Amino acid sequence: MARPCALFGAVIVTAMSGVFLPPIVAFAEVPPAPPGFANEDEVKQAYLSGKLKIINLAIDVPETVSVKKDIEYGKGGTIPLKLDLYSPKDHAKPVPAVIFIHGGAWKGGYRQMYHYYCTKFAEHGYVAATISYRLTSDAPFPAAVEDAKCAVRWMRANAEKLGVDPNKIGVAGGSAGGHLSMMVGYAPDTPELEGTGGHGDVTSRVGAVVNLYGPTDLTTEFARSKRDVIRFLQDKPFDQGAELYQLASPITHVTKDDPPTLILHGSIDDTVPIDQAELLVEALKKNGVDYEYDRVEGWPHAMDLEPDVNRHCLVRMFEFFEKHLGQPAESANGKN
């Protein structure tokens, strides 16, 4: 949320040529995450010593997947908003779609970071998109939320030509992208958060949310002390903008009609502490919202860059979205 993770935040470029993971052919159950570490210093040492590997984010796109890049899905003020779209080729009927939202403390990152997940999801039979949105250097909150919602509206408005079921759209993201995914999920059709980016007559409601280690409550002492949070929230410290911090906190929008949520969070995360996930669990439980909480023991922020942790998270996501969005198209590996 406020600084790079000791292990992964500073090694994204290295991940572009990391370990290759083959397609997931089938699974009888979710593969377990491997044993973790006592703290992030141990993780860092394991990485620097070569004992800990990371996945290759720049995987090749299989022949069964079609990719269209730089599609304009709306406008953030005068800024064109773009996405990359990944689709299974020749699917005969509308399929579920998942929109991925990258992290980077709302101030950095880029949509190509989710090339890996979009490729895997399209290979598995989903239409997947990874979006760019306005960073704090362009515009503070609620700009990024407005843009993420605009992407959902664009997907739904163009569902027929994209081969997407407009009633089966989910969102997923990590860190700041997890935060934005939850804001999309828990505050649908909220006038002060919708923006004017396009397709204003279409709902921004989604059918499922995956939150990977995203901040859930920006009013906590830990969150409101972080410079990246303050900058995101219009450079207003908490004592000058408490209502803004509340509006920007996914947890304050939770109601009983919210979409099912999968939470994946490492227990030794020093960037977005695990208690952010546990606060969300309590809010979802209190409101009767369907959720799954996967506390991954001994792993830090951006834990899903480690190959075996990634496989664990990926299969959890496949199962979750299939449960709540329905069957994807027949995929290249024969799994429906």
Side-chain angles (χ1 to χ4, degrees):
M1 181 162 60
R3 63 174 181 80
C5 158
L7 168 62
F8 294 129
V11 296
I12 290 294
V13 174
T14 308
M16 302 303 282
S17 57
V19 174
F20 170 75
L21 287 183
I24 294 175
V25 177
F27 47 89
E29 58 184 20
V30 177
F37 299 83
N39 53 56
E40 286 199 359
D41 286 339
E42 285 191 7
V43 180
K44 182 179 181 181
Q45 289 304 315
Y47 174 74
L48 293 176
S49 68
K51 295 179 181 178
L52 191 61
K53 305 299 183 182
I54 55 178
I55 61 172
N56 174 17
L57 292 179
I59 57 175
D60 292 335
V61 177
E63 292 183 358
T64 55
V65 172
S66 172
V67 182
K68 297 180 180 179
K69 297 185 176 182
D70 299 319
I71 298 172
E72 185 172 318
Y73 70 85
K75 287 283 177 69
T78 60
I79 298 174
L81 302 172
K82 296 186 177 182
L83 59 79
D84 296 339
L85 189 74
Y86 297 67
S87 306
K89 289 183 179 177
D90 303 322
H91 56 281
K93 60 182 181 180
V95 299
V98 178
I99 295 171
F100 287 91
I101 309 174
H102 72 79
W106 306 285
K107 67 179 181 181
Y110 42 91
R111 69 180 182 273
Q112 292 82 3
M113 291 166 64
Y114 273 120
H115 163 82
Y116 171 88
Y117 274 117
C118 285
T119 299
K120 291 291 186 181
F121 266 73
E123 186 179 29
H124 202 69
Y126 293 86
V127 169
T130 177
I131 69 168
S132 295
Y133 55 87
R134 283 172 291 174
L135 305 175
T136 48
S137 57
D138 299 315
F141 175 83
V145 177
E146 293 173 351
D147 298 348
K149 285 171 165 286
C150 181
V152 174
R153 296 196 304 268
W154 175 89
M155 180 75 75
R156 179 165 284 117
N158 291 279
E160 184 174 358
K161 70 178 182 180
L162 299 176
V164 167
D165 186 329
N167 298 313
K168 296 180 179 179
I169 299 173
V171 287
S175 196
H179 165 268
L180 295 174
S181 295
M182 289 182 285
M183 290 297 292
V184 170
Y186 305 154
D189 305 320
T190 303
E192 61 266 42
L193 298 175
E194 292 302 310
T196 57
H199 302 289
D201 58 338
V202 179
T203 178
S204 61
R205 189 173 294 273
V206 295
V209 173
V210 171
N211 163 38
L212 294 110
Y213 41 81
T216 65
D217 187 351
L218 303 187
T219 71
T220 60
E221 184 175 354
F222 178 87
R224 68 196 196 198
S225 68
K226 299 303 177 182
R227 178 59 193 153
D228 288 333
V229 174
I230 297 170
R231 185 182 183 194
F232 176 58
L233 297 178
Q234 304 174 14
D235 272 325
K236 292 183 179 180
F238 182 75
D239 60 1
Q240 296 178 19
E243 291 184 358
L244 193 64
Y245 282 67
Q246 292 170 355
L247 180 63
S249 295
I251 202 168
T252 64
H253 298 280
V254 173
T255 55
K256 63 181 181 180
D257 60 345
D258 284 338
T261 300
L262 170 63
I263 306 160
L264 294 155
H265 208 122
S267 67
I268 61 168
D269 192 335
D270 286 344
T271 304
V272 179
I274 190 69
D275 63 4
Q276 287 281 310
E278 290 166 353
L279 288 169
L280 178 62
V281 166
E282 290 304 312
L284 296 174
K285 185 186 301 183
K286 179 180 178 181
N287 285 275
V289 178
D290 191 354
Y291 73 91
E292 297 177 26
Y293 174 38
D294 193 335
R295 176 186 168 114
V296 186
E297 294 296 330
W299 288 94
H301 204 63
M303 61 187 177
D304 51 320
L305 283 176
E306 195 281 332
D308 290 326
V309 177
N310 180 271
R311 185 171 291 278
H312 172 79
C313 293
L314 190 60
V315 175
R316 284 299 307 265
M317 292 165 71
F318 282 159
E319 286 196 342
F320 175 79
F321 279 125
E322 187 168 322
K323 177 180 178 181
H324 295 290
L325 297 183
Q327 292 279 347
E330 183 176 347
S331 63
N333 55 41
K335 174 79 170 68
N336 286 329

